[in-house]
Amino acid sequence: MIIVLKQGVTDEQIQHVIDHVEGLGFQAHLSRGTYRTIIGVIGDEERLRSEPLSAIPGVASVIPVLPPFKLVSREAHPEETVVDVSGVPVGGGYLAMVAGPCAVESLDQMRRIAEGVKEAGANILRGGAYKPRTSPYSFQGLGKEGLEILRQVGDEFGMPVVTEVTDPRLVEEVSQYADMLQVGARNMQNFVLLKEVGQVDHPVLLKRGMSATVNDWLMSAEYIASKGNSRIVLCERGVRGFDPAMRNLYDVAAVPAAKLLTHLPVIVDPSHATGRPDLIPPCAMAGLAAGADGVHVEVHDQPESAKSDGAQALRPHEYRELMRRLESLAALLHKQIPRPVERA
Ligand code: PEP
Ligand code: MN
């Protein structure tokens, strides 16, 4: 931690800062420059972070030296983490291709879509059973029945499944059916939920909140990791923008920015980021080119009658075409798209 002192700080004030810091059990190193005087504080920065040092008279600012997240930081763990999603490795050169409808609507719908995306090369099947909707009057998802359908279809097609858990009280139930738990954008800072998913033995897909900074996002991952679960995959899904031409503002720079700071895999979701089927393929390619560890796409075989997010869904044949292009790019980047393991 570096304490920058105000211009014109008195010797008494400087001594008071040093006494205060040493009184907390830290070492203080004074450095007087021509224009500014600073104090370097040596010791466990984590413990110092909660001290209101900037409130001491004469202090201009307090600059931490380490990132506020530890467990998920690349500093603490330079090698990339590979998250195992029931046999599908994600990260460290392995790409997650997550695809499926926004919401599970029926057994037949899930079967048709799963068949299409599996054949196209997706390795994780998605489908929302508990849907976080802006309006309480919109389709809220099939709930437990949706989980049962998703699990059944995942098993039939030999694909691990990911679905959103919207409430801490549902973590146990959703964990019984899903291979991976999604924490959605609207819940990225639901700290009770983060702590709850931190206590289960399932990988977590943590979407970026729509007004979250990269730092906020990594702090949310830290919440999960701090409870013992480091099997986290981050997902960039766009932040609130100003332009109604797109649903959100696709922040592709956040992918390499986050990956410089964390060892966790980062994937992109161009479906929610753009909200437009015509923009999903180029934005999926851009995400992969920027270093993403996978692509998450909503696919529906009848978008016109979908119960949620139909307007942004790719049709199975469009997804297949996109996958061909993603496969070429993956080969160029020396990355692999693993196939799900066949289970007996
Ligand atoms: C979803 O995956 O369908 C979803 C609601 O995503 P997000 O939380 O990113 O809006
Ligand atoms: Mn959706």
Side-chain angles (χ1 to χ4, degrees), residues 101-103 126 128 131-133 164 182-187 207-208 210 235 237-238 247-248 269 272 296 298 308-309 312:
C102 183
R126 69 149 281 147
K131 295 302 303 173
R133 304 305 299 278
E164 180 163 350
Q182 174 173 324
V183 173
R186 290 157 192 79
N187 270 312
K207 295 247 190 144
R208 180 181 179 186
M210 48 188 104
C235 181
R237 47 78 73 207
R247 181 172 177 181
N248 285 296
D269 170 0
H272 292 89
H296 169 289
E298 285 187 349
S308 75
D309 281 350
Q312 70 184 31

